[in-house]
Amino acid sequence: MRLDKYLKVSRIIKRRSVAKEIADKGRIEINGKVAKSSTEVAPKDELVIKFGNKTLTVQVDELLETTKKDDAERMYTIVKEEYAQDFRQE
């Protein structure tokens, strides 16, 4: 499955066009290599996605062509979630 489609179906990124744009800017890595939107994703792959202040690391668990909202979370496991700067109030 293409990276941009996987991100949309799994609901990690809400729109495929946004997923494509982020991937083509080099802000997504698959198993340590920078990935384009057309890169194929397979189970057990590790994705590192950089959203501005946040870096999300997920492991691909399964590939589904379509999902309901409740089933989307079965497609991946969050390994790590980091913030460059913590803006939360203490």
Side-chain angles (χ1 to χ4, degrees), residues 24-42:
D24 290 343
K25 286 183 177 177
R27 291 170 39 195
I28 300 177
E29 295 178 4
I30 297 179
N31 300 326
K33 295 180 183 168
V34 175
K36 299 263 189 228
S37 59
S38 60
T39 304
E40 291 293 314
V41 176

Side-chain angles (χ1 to χ4, degrees), residues 24-83:
D24 290 343
K25 286 183 177 177
R27 291 170 39 195
I28 300 177
E29 295 178 4
I30 297 179
N31 300 326
K33 295 180 183 168
V34 175
K36 299 263 189 228
S37 59
S38 60
T39 304
E40 291 293 314
V41 176
K44 305 279 186 244
D45 282 348
E46 187 172 271
L47 308 179
V48 178
I49 308 161
K50 297 176 180 104
F51 303 93
N53 188 45
K54 177 179 169 182
T55 302
L56 183 66
T57 305
V58 298
Q59 180 176 345
V60 177
D61 291 335
E62 65 180 298
L63 303 176
L64 302 171
E65 288 298 316
T66 60
T67 58
K68 291 187 167 50
K69 190 176 182 182
D70 298 334
D71 296 335
E73 292 178 1
R74 289 190 356 224
M75 294 180 69
Y76 63 91
T77 304
I78 296 176
V79 177
K80 189 167 45 173
E81 195 172 344
E82 297 176 294
Y83 293 88

Side-chain angles (χ1 to χ4, degrees), residues 11-22:
R11 291 178 166 80
I12 293 172
I13 297 177
K14 301 293 186 232
R15 287 189 213 95
R16 190 168 176 176
S17 59
V18 174
K20 181 181 184 332
E21 185 180 327
I22 290 172

